[in-house]
């Protein structure tokens, strides 16, 4: 069995270790929730101050041109494109993931209807365990467009549903509960062979695992700015449409900044060419400035091997965590790993389930850990999960060791039974 010294040695040998300096993290905190809200980059406070005090305060409305505010959605989109295998000019930053999903799902459904007005293709398929916002958006769109949403229990069922009734497959590449990764390239190819369009939610993949949208020949993708992209709470999201569809599909939120000539102020909507039509209204400049700082923390890894190097470290971290859980928590407390053990099938998170008779204590166990400075989160379900994100940009191996040690203490001392840990906040 490895010791803490072994983990410290891994930190010393870690070539990505210097990237941690890019972040402000409170002392004494082991932050294992970057999959939910990324840590704050050190550059963000100064950059947002500059935007507020200098660009807004002094530049006033001139800053739309002088400080290039108007270019933010495309400029940050181009940076995100480097992380998800998209081309320049193919990604735009706008709105939230839910809204962008609404836009691309509508575009996909419209395309199917236009191409085959009389066809049988009136089904949307997704996974029951997909993130709820994806399912809610699809439910609403199915109703509006006269489609039916069918939910499958596992991706193993995919081959059976890829038929002439299916219009759009809507999948999240990395599952928010288990962290399981779907094979984007293989699934997209199978779907296309059956004449089916695929919409990918990259919320837990962008900045977490290497993604290659163009190599996969994917159709549409959206993703979150506040998780692994470190854009800050409620950061704007991104959207990508394969250039082969981009000029063909329209999206329903036809706002003025998605117009081909917004400052012509014409009466009729004429969509901008390509991805720019996915902009609806005015960009949230301060939030975008913060998001850019977050995306830059990932691009800073490019000279050190980029997403491939980050992925390797992420797997080393999650493998180390799983080994320690097996060694120290499985036999004594019945803790189970609820994420795939095969590294190829695992994103940058590991979820744990407590022994069956302790399932109801999962929330309190997470609170007890947080009180010790180990911040993960809790996801209700069957089973309830303790969820831990491992962000290689700012997490070290000794912290993995310490996090497990804290969990051992929480369980051994039954700290989760303390009443202060039972009270549930509005956000878990
Ligand atoms: C897969 C997935 N999609 C979307 C979202 C959130 O979307 P929004 O930013 O619109 O709230 C989340 C949030 O956790 C998510 O996990």
């Amino acid at each position: 069995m490895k010791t803490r010294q072994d983990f410290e040695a891994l930190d010393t040998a870690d070539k990505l270790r210097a990237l941690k300096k890019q972040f402000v993290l409170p002392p004494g905190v082991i932050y294992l929730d970057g999959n939910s809200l990324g840590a704050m980059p050190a550059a963000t406070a100064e950059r947002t101050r500059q935007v507020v005090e200098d660009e807004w305060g002094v530049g006033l409305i001139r800053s739309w041109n002088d400080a290039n505010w108007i270019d933010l959605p495309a400029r940050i989109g181009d940076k995100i494109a480097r992380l998800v295998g998209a081309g320049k000019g193919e990604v735009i930053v706008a709105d939230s993931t839910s809204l962008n999903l609404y836009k691309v799902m509508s575009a996909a459904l419209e395309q199917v209807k236009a191409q085959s007005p009389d066809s049988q293709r009136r089904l949307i398929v997704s996974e029951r365990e997909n993130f709820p916002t994806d399912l809610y958006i699809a439910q609403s769109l199915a109703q509006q467009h006269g489609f039916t949403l069918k939910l499958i229990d596992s991706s193993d069922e995919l081959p059976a549903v890829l038929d002439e009734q299916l219009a759009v497959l809507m999948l999240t590449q990395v599952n928010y509960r288990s962290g399981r990764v779907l094979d984007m390239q293989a699934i997209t190819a199978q779907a296309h062979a059956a004449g089916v369009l695929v919409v990918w939610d990259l919320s837990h993949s962008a900045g977490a695992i290497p993604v290659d949208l163009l190599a996969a020949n994917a159709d549409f993708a959206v993703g979150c700015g506040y998780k692994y992209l470190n854009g800050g709470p409620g950061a704007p999201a991104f959207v990508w449409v394969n250039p082969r569809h981009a000029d063909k599909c329209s999206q329903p939120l036809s706002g003025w900044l998605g117009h081909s000539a917004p400052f012509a102020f014409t009466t009729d909507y004429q969509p901008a060419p390509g991805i720019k039509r996915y902009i609806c209204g005015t960009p949230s400049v301060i939030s975008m400035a913060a998001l850019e700082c977050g995306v830059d923390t990932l691009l800073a890894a490019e000279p050190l091997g980029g997403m491939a190097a980050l992925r390797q470290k992420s797997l080393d971290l999650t493998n180390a965590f799983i080994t320690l859980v097996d060694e120290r928590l499985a036999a004594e407390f019945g803790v189970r790993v609820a994420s795939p053990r095969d590294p190829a099938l695992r994103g940058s998170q590991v979820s744990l389930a407590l022994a069956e008779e302790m399932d109801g204590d999962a929330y309190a166990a997470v609170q007890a850990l947080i009180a010790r400075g180990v911040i993960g989160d809790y996801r209700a379900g069957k089973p309830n999960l303790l969820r831990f994100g491992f962000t290689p940009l700012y997490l070290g191996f000794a912290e993995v060791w310490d996090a497990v040690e804290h969990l051992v203490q929480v369980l051994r001392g039954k700290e989760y039974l303390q009443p202060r840990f039972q009270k549930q906040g509005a956000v878990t």
Side-chain angles (χ1 to χ4, degrees):
M1 196 155 95
K2 288 205 164 83
T3 64
R4 193 179 193 281
Q5 283 70 35
D6 296 322
F7 281 68
E8 287 165 9
L10 292 174
D11 281 331
T12 310
D14 175 14
K15 292 193 178 61
L16 301 180
R17 202 174 169 207
L19 294 169
K20 183 176 180 174
K21 287 200 210 86
Q22 299 184 100
F23 294 90
V24 178
L25 281 157
V29 161
I30 299 174
Y31 193 56
L32 303 180
D33 219 354
N35 52 318
S36 204
L37 174 65
M40 187 180 82
T44 305
E46 169 54 17
R47 177 69 189 122
T48 49
R49 186 211 60 75
Q50 206 178 46
V51 171
V52 171
E53 291 186 8
D54 305 344
E55 297 181 7
W56 178 19
V58 179
L60 293 162
I61 200 161
R62 292 169 291 193
S63 290
W64 281 107
N65 290 316
D66 296 350
N68 291 319
W69 285 352
I70 199 67
D71 296 332
L72 281 167
R75 185 170 86 211
I76 307 171
D78 281 345
K79 290 186 175 186
I80 294 173
R82 282 152 63 182
L83 301 172
V84 295
K88 213 166 155 25
E90 292 177 9
V91 175
I92 207 84
V93 171
D95 304 317
S96 63
T97 307
S98 305
L99 274 171
N100 288 334
L101 195 61
Y102 182 83
K103 296 175 203 168
V104 296
M105 283 295 294
S106 302
L109 297 179
E110 288 291 356
Q111 189 178 126
V112 173
K113 283 202 288 193
Q115 278 174 0
S116 49
D118 307 317
S119 95
Q120 299 297 302
R121 288 195 192 274
R122 291 297 177 263
L123 213 55
I124 302 167
V125 162
S126 194
E127 289 186 283
R128 198 174 301 284
E129 288 245 312
N130 199 346
F131 189 73
T133 207
D134 300 54
L135 301 182
Y136 303 158
I137 294 282
Q139 279 162 22
S140 153
L141 281 166
Q143 243 174 15
Q144 278 174 45
H145 290 262
F147 283 62
T148 303
L149 174 64
K150 180 183 160 107
L151 300 180
I152 55 174
D153 289 324
S154 134
S155 55
D156 297 344
E157 293 170 44
L158 278 175
V161 296
L162 293 174
D163 59 20
E164 65 290 343
Q165 308 215 324
L166 182 56
V168 177
L169 187 57
M170 182 192 73
L171 296 170
T172 293
Q173 192 188 12
V174 178
N175 182 267
Y176 79 105
R177 276 175 58 82
S178 66
R180 182 234 46 217
V181 183
L182 292 179
D183 184 339
M184 177 187 282
Q185 186 140 12
I187 291 173
T188 304
Q190 286 158 17
H192 287 175
V196 173
L197 292 171
V198 195
V199 171
W200 289 99
D201 184 335
L202 305 180
S203 289
H204 295 269
S205 359
I209 62 172
V211 178
D212 201 336
L213 286 166
L214 286 171
N217 195 22
D219 296 296
F220 301 88
V222 297
C224 238
Y226 50 78
K227 299 179 189 295
Y228 294 95
L229 298 186
N230 307 311
F238 67 90
V239 48
W240 172 83
V241 176
N242 191 308
R244 104 184 103 86
H245 300 307
D247 285 325
K248 276 198 249 152
C249 321
S250 59
Q251 61 96 358
L253 303 179
S254 45
W256 73 299
L257 278 180
H259 193 281
S260 60
F263 289 89
F265 297 107
T266 56
T267 314
D268 292 325
Y269 181 72
Q270 182 61 47
I275 194 67
K276 281 207 171 149
R277 68 185 55 183
Y278 285 80
I279 299 176
C280 181
T282 308
S284 48
V285 170
I286 305 167
S287 302
M288 292 227 179
L291 173 61
E292 189 165 26
C293 294
V295 174
D296 284 345
T297 62
L298 286 148
L299 298 184
E302 280 183 346
L304 302 168
M307 281 311 306
L310 288 170
R311 171 66 169 161
Q312 188 52 55
K313 180 173 170 190
S314 153
L315 288 179
D316 292 344
L317 289 166
T318 53
N319 283 333
F321 181 72
I322 289 174
T323 303
L324 287 175
V325 168
D326 286 344
E327 287 173 359
R328 307 194 58 199
L329 291 158
E332 190 175 347
F333 307 106
V335 173
R336 288 165 294 136
V337 173
S339 296
R341 285 178 173 274
D342 178 352
L345 300 181
R346 190 168 69 234
S348 204
Q349 71 177 68
V350 177
S351 299
L352 302 180
L354 297 182
E356 242 165 72
E357 64 281 11
M358 285 174 63
D359 188 52
D361 296 315
Y363 176 80
V366 171
Q367 300 316 302
L369 267 180
I370 292 173
R372 286 172 161 270
V374 181
I375 304 183
D377 63 22
Y378 160 81
R379 284 294 171 262
K382 287 191 179 89
N384 292 316
L385 295 177
L386 291 73
R387 194 175 66 151
F388 302 103
F390 294 83
T391 308
L393 281 175
Y394 47 78
L395 203 71
F397 291 89
E399 289 176 291
V400 171
W401 172 275
D402 292 343
V404 174
E405 173 62 27
H406 279 295
L407 188 49
V408 168
Q409 299 297 333
V410 162
L411 296 178
R412 200 170 279 160
K414 295 194 186 319
E415 290 175 16
Y416 51 88
L417 294 178
Q418 295 176 28
R420 65 185 171 130
F421 298 136
Q422 312 288 328
K423 206 171 143 278
Q424 203 142 326
V427 176
T428 62

